[in-house]
Amino acid sequence: MNAADKKRLLKEMLYARRFEERCYEAYVDRKIGGFLHLYPGQEACAHGVLEAARPGEDHVITGYRDHVHAIKCGADPKEVMAELFGKETGSSKGRGGSMHIFDVKHHFYGGYALVGGPFPLAAGLAKGIKMKGGDQIAICFLGDAANNQGTFHESLNISALWKLPVLYVCENNLYGIGTRIDRSTAVTEQYKRVCGYDIPADQVDGQDIEIVYKAAQKAVKHVRSGKGPYFLELMTYRYRGHSMSDSNAYRSKDEEADWSKRDPILILKNRLIKAGEYTEAEHKKLDKKIIDEIENDVIKFAEESPEPKVEELEKYVLAENDPYVCAENVRGEQQ
Amino acid sequence: MANMMYWEAIRRAHDEEMANDPLVICMGEDIGVAGGTYKATQGLYDKYGAERVIDTPISENGYTGIGIGASFVGVRAIIEIMSVNFAWLAMDQIFNSAAKVRYMSGGQLTSPVVIRSPGGTAHQLGAQHSARMEKVFMGIAGLRVVTPSSPKQAYGLLKSAVRCNDPVFINEHELMYNMKGEVPDTEFFHPLEGSEVVRQGKDITLFGYNISVHWCLQAADILAKNHGIDAEIVDLFSLSPLDRVGIAESVSKTHHAVIVEEAEAPVGVGSEVMAIINEECFFDLDAAPVRVSSANVPQPYNHKLELAAIPNKDNVVDAVVKLLGKS
Ligand SMILES: Cc1ncc(C[n+]2csc(CCOP(=O)(O)OP(=O)(O)O)c2C)c(N)n1
Ligand SMILES: [Mg+2]
């Protein structure tokens, strides 16, 4: 990773941070509704892993904390914001909302709200890739608490057995909503839980993007070479509440302060400054540029976009004009 | 009589039942230290301890099965599933174990477990967090399904569910936890079966349950004021079994019926009540019964689409006016 790459990643992470913070404001202004799960603190995870993969080509799937993963895969931030605003121009045409960003064009197969749901879906994506002979891989990003679902263990077993090209990334932020990991999980170090399936697994610092990148390179190489699944545990922390209604009452201020010192953006920024590649002034300028861009470009687009038409409530429930649903067509083909 | 919120009434029932029987426990995600997403178990962790007020991992099928297994040997578990959408994950244990064990053991074993969970459309929670599942539970032989429309029912039904020797599913609603109502100061048990006439009327029967009872009440006021229609409202707090006698009694009196449910129409409460009307009192009808229900779509996120998808009091008024041919 050269200095230019690092600067670009810093910019991407800062963009992600400001994007999410702006979502927070828009939620307070009631422009965004429903559940909103934000990503600040965890930026190095999505960016570090996907930097080592081929975003836009590799098949990515995740849970409800999904905006940043989608954008890193190539989704237009304008469309993501428009989705949060419930607009027709949104990535899911305003039907999905924050928890259900989809951008299939960029092989981002979605955000899902049921904890643990994406594990088998990721293995299924990998099965499809394998059958079609592509060299892409599937990447599944989920939280630590999700690993207590049966789907986790079922998917690990099957993907190991079938040698599926899937990388499971566990963003271990130590909590599932308000429950600390040691209160929900017998073996808190997640990579250890994978050993029983003979899947190679690694645990690294998820706050330092260079460390994440390096670990992910190794993981991606393994999976892409046809050796089967890999499990990567990234130790991280979310700076905001689980969702908007959460005040973090279950966490100590000391713990929060410790982790805020390990801010992924700060770590990379300070390293670049120390190496003489970057200055505080440049950073301030970049920050302002990003904030303006989000305001003038992204928010404006979301604000000005039209809402879905109520007459189209029943669109997208089933396939339109599918030839095989109509008796006449099907009979005709049989003759 | 105390005026309390729906969640407070549920909390009180938990508290009394746990005090009454040391084998009553409650389990669920974030119900202990955090006091529950909807505060239904607030303070109980401190009072009864971690052995009885149990924060579970996110393992719905697992912990529901554990509650059912414990019930085989005398434990009375009250399981909270944070949202009914997540109950799909526990369906195997509810459907294949709890509901069937009495029958398939020839009456040797029973599963007196209580599963509480809120369903329904709240505010833009989207397709995977807005489902109504009562129609699914209603179709399971061996499982009782109740659904409280008021704090009083929420209290009394939970109390009876804990004591009852059958598995009981309690269908709550995300938007009702802060609803206020009178609850008797003295302990009381609400029957798990039956229905309740919550408004007497002579022209038409509105069948509702849980949140839709409130749409019916609002609609009945409008119908009386603006259209001179006197609606009777029957609260179907027991969805399984449904009260065939109560349904027939009211329809035989009013000769007209509208069934109001938040769920999509297919294979729902409305279809079932219509079938009962056909079977019990078809010749007392003056017009074909009508269902008011949700559009048959996964719940959309956009607020306007969301409102268009689910029914409200105005849809009830319109359906009644149309059915009676008045305007
Ligand atoms: C099947 C299911 N059960 C429960 C929930 C409620 N819920 C949403 S997120 C969450 C915690 C998940 O924690 P984790 O997997 O660590 O991810 P994080 O939010 O920390 O990123 C819970 C319990 C859900 N959405 N789906
Ligand atoms: Mg977590």
Side-chain angles (χ1 to χ4, degrees):
Chain A
M1 204 189 276
N2 61 32
D5 287 332
K6 286 183 205 168
K7 277 198 203 173
R8 177 177 46 78
L9 284 170
L10 180 66
K11 184 176 157 190
E12 288 177 14
M13 289 200 292
L14 187 60
Y15 189 95
R17 175 74 55 92
R18 296 303 184 214
F19 184 93
E20 295 288 84
E21 286 170 346
R22 190 60 184 80
C23 292
Y24 181 96
E25 283 173 39
Y27 190 93
V28 173
D29 293 342
R30 306 179 76 97
K31 301 281 184 190
I32 298 175
F35 285 144
L36 179 66
H37 307 83
L38 301 175
Y39 202 56
Q42 304 185 200
E43 291 90 349
C45 300
H47 286 96
V49 170
L50 290 171
E51 187 67 18
R54 297 184 205 147
E57 261 180 66
D58 287 331
H59 296 20
V60 174
I61 192 164
T62 187
Y64 38 81
R65 210 180 292 286
D66 56 355
H67 316 159
V68 173
H69 301 80
I71 293 171
K72 178 69 179 167
C73 286
D76 184 339
K78 293 204 288 288
E79 290 176 15
V80 176
M81 190 63 84
E83 184 60 33
L84 306 184
F85 278 53
K87 298 299 179 75
E88 182 70 25
T89 54
S91 3
S92 304
K93 306 253 184 335
R95 270 69 167 182
S98 164
M99 301 194 285
H100 309 302
I101 305 293
F102 285 76
D103 193 333
V104 174
K105 189 168 77 235
H106 292 102
H107 293 130
F108 181 71
Y109 286 90
Y112 298 81
L114 279 275
V115 171
F119 287 123
L121 301 178
L125 291 171
K127 169 74 181 155
I129 291 170
K130 196 171 173 181
M131 286 182 70
K132 287 158 75 179
D135 76 336
Q136 301 109 314
I137 64 169
I139 308 178
C140 177
F141 288 90
L142 281 179
D144 45 292
N147 297 347
N148 293 322
Q149 287 289 27
T151 49
F152 175 64
H153 300 276
E154 294 168 25
S155 304
L156 288 180
N157 179 53
I158 293 173
S159 51
L161 185 68
W162 297 353
K163 289 216 177 325
L164 297 178
V166 51
L167 167 58
Y168 297 102
V169 180
C170 173
E171 300 189 35
N172 186 346
N173 61 12
L174 308 175
Y175 291 85
I177 309 187
T179 303
R180 208 188 141 82
I181 188 163
D182 54 6
R183 299 188 58 248
S184 68
T185 310
V187 177
T188 56
E189 295 193 280
Q190 301 301 305
Y191 75 99
K192 289 187 183 165
R193 305 175 77 185
V194 179
C195 297
Y197 300 100
D198 249 350
I199 293 174
D202 224 346
Q203 182 199 54
V204 300
D205 178 4
Q207 301 306 89
D208 186 332
I209 192 163
E210 290 188 66
I211 293 176
V212 174
Y213 175 72
K214 243 179 138 175
Q217 269 191 316
K218 187 173 152 207
V220 167
K221 194 172 160 208
H222 174 94
V223 176
R224 212 182 295 284
S225 68
K227 292 193 190 123
Y230 197 101
F231 181 88
L232 187 57
E233 177 180 12
L234 306 174
M235 301 309 294
T236 187
Y237 204 71
R238 64 168 154 70
Y239 290 160
R240 294 196 175 269
H242 169 73
S243 65
M244 295 296 287
S245 55
D246 175 11
S247 62
N248 284 331
Y250 46 84
R251 307 198 302 204
S252 78
K253 292 290 155 237
D254 286 349
E255 181 182 290
E256 290 182 356
D258 282 348
W259 280 94
S260 71
K261 281 183 218 139
R262 310 225 54 252
D263 184 323
I265 295 174
L266 272 185
I267 290 175
L268 183 58
K269 182 187 98 174
N270 290 343
R271 189 173 295 149
L272 281 165
I273 291 176
K274 215 167 159 195
E277 311 275 4
Y278 195 55
T279 65
E280 196 66 63
E282 269 179 86
H283 190 72
K284 280 226 171 73
K285 216 171 109 190
L286 174 68
D287 196 18
K288 178 161 185 336
K289 192 172 156 244
I290 286 173
I291 289 171
D292 289 347
E293 191 182 312
I294 290 172
E295 206 55 47
N296 303 333
D297 211 9
V298 174
I299 292 288
K300 187 164 184 282
F301 176 81
E303 289 265 18
E304 290 175 359
S305 288
E307 293 201 52
K309 294 197 191 85
V310 170
E311 309 82 75
E312 293 187 351
L313 173 64
E314 295 184 11
K315 208 173 163 183
Y316 308 121
V317 176
L318 290 169
E320 261 171 62
N321 304 321
D322 189 288
Y324 288 92
V325 302
C326 166
E328 245 165 63
N329 284 345
V330 175
R331 252 184 248 122
E333 295 209 355
Q334 279 169 347
Q335 276 162 10
Chain B
M1 283 279 197
N3 200 285
M4 61 173 76
M5 287 196 236
Y6 197 90
W7 69 264
E8 290 175 307
I10 297 171
R11 203 210 75 94
R12 178 177 149 197
H14 274 100
D15 193 4
E16 288 177 8
E17 289 307 299
M18 293 191 77
N20 172 66
D21 178 354
L23 285 176
V24 173
I25 63 172
C26 45
M27 303 165 63
E29 293 160 38
D30 281 296
I31 67 147
V33 174
T37 307
Y38 300 100
K39 300 191 273 195
T41 50
Q42 199 178 60
L44 301 182
Y45 180 87
D46 292 334
K47 190 161 173 187
Y48 298 103
E51 280 292 315
R52 293 182 63 200
V53 181
I54 305 167
D55 277 320
T56 61
I58 312 174
S59 313
E60 284 83 4
N61 206 30
Y63 63 74
T64 302
I66 289 168
I68 293 166
S71 77
F72 293 170
V73 289
V75 172
R76 302 252 157 174
I78 308 170
I79 297 170
E80 173 175 299
I81 299 183
M82 193 184 272
S83 155
V84 88
N85 300 265
F86 316 156
W88 288 108
L89 280 88
M91 276 325 260
D92 166 48
Q93 291 295 351
I94 297 170
F95 182 75
N96 286 314
S97 304
K100 294 187 168 54
V101 73
R102 178 189 289 276
Y103 195 84
M104 67 191 186
S105 70
Q108 294 177 73
L109 211 54
T110 180
S111 180
V113 70
V114 180
I115 298 156
R116 306 174 29 246
S117 190
T121 296
H123 297 292
Q124 290 187 269
L125 301 187
Q128 293 188 324
H129 271 66
S130 306
R132 291 107 346 191
M133 266 175 76
E134 55 274 16
K135 58 163 117 183
V136 177
F137 290 105
M138 276 170 74
I140 303 176
L143 180 71
R144 293 185 176 280
V145 182
V146 295
T147 183
S149 65
S150 65
K152 181 180 164 190
Q153 282 185 359
Y155 166 81
L157 287 170
L158 176 52
K159 298 266 298 178
S160 294
V162 173
R163 305 276 178 118
C164 172
N165 285 321
D166 296 320
V168 181
F169 178 77
I170 305 184
N171 179 68
E172 296 168 5
H173 197 290
E174 303 226 4
L175 293 184
M176 289 173 69
Y177 289 104
N178 288 335
M179 166 181 292
K180 279 196 161 176
E182 299 288 330
V183 181
D185 293 326
T186 49
E187 181 176 49
F188 99 99
F189 294 85
H190 195 292
L192 294 174
E193 291 189 11
S195 64
E196 188 185 342
V197 177
V198 291
R199 187 186 193 279
Q200 297 272 355
K202 60 180 190 342
D203 296 331
I204 190 163
T205 305
L206 307 180
F207 290 100
Y209 61 94
N210 189 260
I211 200 167
S212 73
V213 169
H214 300 277
W215 303 336
C216 292
L217 285 165
Q218 292 160 358
D221 284 345
I222 299 172
L223 288 166
K225 234 183 260 155
N226 300 354
H227 304 275
I229 294 170
D230 184 18
E232 173 146 307
I233 300 172
V234 176
D235 180 342
L236 301 169
F237 60 80
S238 169
L239 292 179
S240 185
L242 278 164
D243 181 13
R244 302 180 78 90
V245 174
I247 291 169
E249 246 172 38
S250 182
V251 174
S252 303
K253 186 175 97 178
T254 65
H255 311 291
H256 299 93
V258 171
I259 307 103
V260 186
E261 61 191 312
E262 192 191 297
E264 314 85 330
V267 207
V269 177
S271 4
E272 203 49 41
V273 171
M274 278 190 178
I276 290 173
I277 293 172
N278 276 353
E279 288 158 2
E280 301 287 338
C281 55
F282 179 77
F283 292 106
D284 290 328
L285 285 170
D286 282 349
V290 165
R291 291 176 290 183
V292 173
S293 49
S294 171
N296 197 20
V297 298
Q299 200 62 33
Y301 165 72
N302 172 276
H303 193 46
K304 279 190 195 143
L305 293 189
E306 175 173 83
L307 290 178
I310 55 168
N312 58 34
K313 65 171 187 326
D314 299 323
N315 301 139
V316 180
V317 171
D318 293 347
V320 170
V321 168
K322 191 168 164 210
L323 190 152
L324 293 178
K326 290 195 181 184
S327 56

